[in-house]
Amino acid sequence: MGHDARMASIGFLGVGTISEAMVRAMAEREGAADALLLSPRSAERSERLANEFAQCERLDSNQAVIDSSDIVVLGMRPQQVDEALSGLRFRDDQVIASLIAGTPPSGIAPLVAPATRICQLIPLPAISLRRGPLVISPPLPEVIEAMEGLGEVVTLDDESLIFTLSCASAFMSTYYEMQNALIDWIAAQGIDEATASRYIRAELDGLAAVGWATPDSDRAGLPLEHQTKGGLNERVRARLLETGWFDDLVGAIDDVYRTARLR
Ligand SMILES: NC(=O)c1ccc[n+]([C@@H]2O[C@H](COP(=O)([O-])OP(=O)(O)OC[C@H]3O[C@@H](n4cnc5c(N)ncnc54)[C@H](OP(=O)(O)O)[C@@H]3O)[C@@H](O)[C@H]2O)c1
């Protein structure tokens, strides 16, 4: 295993679904040399990871993970955090990266004192393929470095803005509903489902790739570039614009944002 300059010890307290996805993504990336230390709970999962990856090690206690880590990732569920962290001793030179949804870094601070350098880390499921956005707020350089190669790092200086991005990503299930509706429509016309599925998923993959490769300055022009006057694409988009499809999407996201902020 090649060790490079960025080698660090990254400890995971709570090795559940999302921690496992992160550990796998980190262990499988190019030039990965960080030591990945795992807390003992979810024994079956943490043992499996430790057996699979040379750089992963399952330690005997949560305190042992903290003591050996430069960066401690908090991977418990929100309702487990208070109990999990009580009685543990952190160091003031330690960096904390919290995966815990709904609690900003300022809410984690009292639980990890005397550590003061705390950020929230928000991966989406595509992290398992080392793709998609990875929010880091505030942008702590050690965490940005440790996450290199895991996706597109998006930083926010102000923790109160994290929720805006979380709301904007709340169309993931809708996206796959759309994917599947298109596949079902093709299959209903008599084309076998495997072909339908391969066609639509490859189309969506291509569209996303073009969307990502297009310079931001040309982004606004993409809809018109993907339709011809009087063509099929123009007819579908015009109808969806007319029936308020896009307003509905943004409206649903905005509703979630506003009602949660009123709570
Ligand atoms: N899933 C996602 O896509 C996603 C995305 C972004 C953020 N998040 C956030 O990530 C966090 C984890 O979510 P998850 O879906 O990965 O949950 P999960 O699968 O339930 O994992 C939680 C893990 O924490 C462990 N744990 C609980 N108490 C502990 C303690 N005292 N000491 C050590 N480990 C302890 C659990 O072990 P046991 O199994 O033994 O109880 C389990 O392994 C949540 O706060 C969530 O808000 C999740």
Side-chain angles (χ1 to χ4, degrees):
M1 187 175 65
H3 287 223
D4 65 21
R6 69 144 209 256
M7 178 160 174
S9 287
I10 304 173
F12 287 82
L13 286 186
V15 185
T17 310
I18 192 69
S19 292
E20 175 170 6
M22 287 193 67
V23 165
R24 287 187 174 282
M26 292 173 104
E28 287 166 356
R29 72 186 152 175
E30 227 22 60
D34 296 329
L36 305 174
L37 308 173
L38 310 179
S39 61
R41 266 180 66 164
S42 288
E44 193 266 327
R45 195 193 288 263
S46 46
E47 269 164 14
R48 182 160 29 85
L49 289 167
N51 288 332
E52 201 172 329
F53 301 110
Q55 73 203 91
C56 275
E57 191 182 347
R58 176 174 178 258
L59 302 186
D60 292 337
S61 67
N62 289 348
Q63 188 63 54
V65 171
I66 297 171
D67 292 345
S68 306
S69 299
D70 305 311
I71 299 174
V72 180
V73 177
L74 305 180
M76 306 72 109
R77 293 199 190 155
Q79 62 276 22
Q80 298 171 320
V81 182
D82 288 331
E83 193 201 316
L85 299 186
S86 79
L88 296 175
R89 293 176 311 279
F90 291 85
R91 299 188 309 272
D92 59 6
D93 65 317
Q94 225 153 21
V95 169
I96 311 295
S98 166
L99 293 166
I100 295 146
T103 306
S106 57
I108 298 294
L111 304 172
V112 297
T116 55
R117 307 193 53 236
I118 307 160
C119 68
Q120 188 166 352
L121 193 60
I122 312 180
L124 297 185
I127 194 166
S128 63
L129 301 173
R130 298 191 296 282
R131 301 281 295 270
L134 184 57
V135 173
I136 301 178
S137 175
L140 302 182
E142 294 93 331
V143 178
I144 293 174
E145 193 174 357
M147 299 302 138
E148 195 183 302
L150 299 190
E152 184 68 13
V153 168
V154 175
T155 62
L156 292 174
D157 292 327
D158 177 354
E159 68 173 30
S160 72
L161 300 177
I162 295 171
F163 186 61
T164 309
L165 293 187
S166 298
C167 289
S169 69
F171 72 97
M172 292 191 289
S173 58
T174 302
Y175 173 88
Y176 291 114
E177 191 71 39
M178 180 185 82
Q179 168 192 281
N180 292 344
L182 291 168
I183 292 169
D184 290 347
W185 178 81
I186 298 178
Q189 309 316 305
I191 293 180
D192 69 277
E193 196 174 317
T195 301
S197 168
R198 220 155 43 78
Y199 181 81
I200 289 297
R201 289 185 301 139
E203 180 186 358
L204 295 176
D205 183 49
L207 290 171
V210 170
W212 187 238
T214 300
D216 216 24
S217 52
D218 297 342
R219 180 175 55 82
L222 283 173
L224 285 183
E225 263 173 41
H226 286 75
Q227 65 184 35
T228 43
K229 218 153 185 39
L232 309 181
N233 273 276
E234 188 191 64
R235 284 176 59 191
V236 172
R237 176 165 163 264
R239 164 149 163 196
L240 294 180
L241 279 169
E242 199 182 294
T243 57
W245 200 71
F246 303 96
D247 296 336
D248 274 355
L249 172 66
V250 174
I253 301 263
D254 189 54
D255 253 11
V256 168
Y257 178 75
R258 281 183 299 105
T259 45
R261 284 179 78 86
L262 288 175
R263 256 203 328 239

